Amino acid sequence: MDWYPLWNSLRIAAFSCIIVFFIGIFAAYYVAKLPRAVKGILDVVFTLPMVLPPTVCGYFLLVLLGPKRPLGMFLSRWGIQFAMTWYGGIAASAVVAFPLMYRTARGAFESFDSALAYSGQTLGLSNTYIFWRIRMPACRQGILAGMVLAFARALGEYGATSMLIGYVPGRTATISTTVYQLWRTNNDAEAFRWVMVNIAISAVILLIVNMLESRNRKAGGV
């Protein structure tokens, strides 16, 4: 059994999770402070990949990053090509996983007690210090839940990934694309093995999410 799809899926999910962590929390932090009208517009923009079909997201990525598109041609001059490369899967997974991180982080920031931040400002603490040492620890359960959900979404991504990087054994194959290709070639036994691997990973992720939610409820009840 070739374990490359598992390794490739894990590294794509890990890198995309790191990307959406930083972009998601900063987008959530600044959007939460905006006027309601502007916040509503940005919410639609940032959450759109969550409701669009993944293949549509993949199509837009191809239009933007395809090798014959202006941006894709510019990046190829620097040796960067997202189409049909494993790191193109990072871009695809990050796009579809971003809304989960953004929405979860925004909810955590909106429930944060602003009096703690104001108290830090009266003590002369910088906004950077308050954000990383006061706000983030207070919102850590929501942030962690968002990271886990984003990782799970990136790990199971198929539509956008298959559109942008396709399926090349040993190069771009992921668990999801491997299951489809094995089914398409009537290799049901091997496809079932990968399905069970995916179910096992998903079950572990759900257990982690439930543990985080349980801790969050206990913290809120104290």
Side-chain angles (χ1 to χ4, degrees), residues 28-39:
Y29 174 70
Y30 286 110
V31 168
K33 301 193 302 182
L34 293 175
R36 181 174 298 180
V38 180
K39 183 190 299 185

Side-chain angles (χ1 to χ4, degrees), residues 20-210:
V20 300
F21 168 76
F22 288 104
I23 298 178
I25 61 173
F26 283 111
Y29 174 70
Y30 286 110
V31 168
K33 301 193 302 182
L34 293 175
R36 181 174 298 180
V38 180
K39 183 190 299 185
I41 295 173
L42 290 177
D43 266 345
V44 171
V45 174
F46 290 154
T47 312
L48 200 57
M50 188 166 62
V51 296
L52 283 175
T55 50
V56 174
C57 295
Y59 170 78
F60 281 124
L61 286 171
L62 274 175
V63 170
L64 181 65
L65 302 172
K68 295 183 179 180
R69 301 294 177 174
L71 181 57
M73 293 174 64
F74 172 77
L75 292 174
S76 64
R77 295 176 184 175
W78 301 89
I80 302 173
Q81 180 177 326
F82 287 96
M84 302 305 294
T85 60
W86 73 268
Y87 49 86
I90 298 174
S93 298
V95 167
V96 297
F98 170 79
L100 291 171
M101 184 70 216
Y102 164 74
R103 298 287 295 190
T104 308
R106 207 198 76 185
F109 288 145
E110 289 178 343
S111 63
F112 174 73
D113 186 0
S114 299
L116 296 175
Y118 296 145
S119 299
Q121 290 174 349
T122 60
L123 295 174
L125 301 177
S126 66
N127 290 330
T128 302
Y129 183 93
I130 292 172
F131 180 82
W132 288 109
R133 301 301 297 272
I134 299 177
R135 191 181 299 269
M136 285 293 287
C139 301
R140 66 182 180 278
Q141 297 298 338
I143 300 296
L144 288 174
M147 286 185 63
V148 174
L149 289 172
F151 180 84
R153 182 67 184 86
L155 188 66
E157 165 54 28
Y158 171 76
T161 301
S162 62
M163 289 285 289
L164 187 61
I165 68 174
Y167 172 80
V168 181
R171 285 183 54 194
T172 67
T174 63
I175 295 176
S176 298
T177 56
T178 298
V179 169
Y180 174 76
Q181 290 297 324
L182 291 172
W183 170 81
R184 193 174 64 85
T185 56
N186 295 319
N187 193 345
D188 290 340
E190 195 71 13
F192 180 76
R193 292 191 187 98
W194 279 113
V195 168
M196 296 307 296
V197 169
N198 210 345
I199 290 175
I201 296 173
S202 300
V204 172
I205 291 172
L206 287 175
L207 286 174
I208 294 173
V209 172
N210 289 336

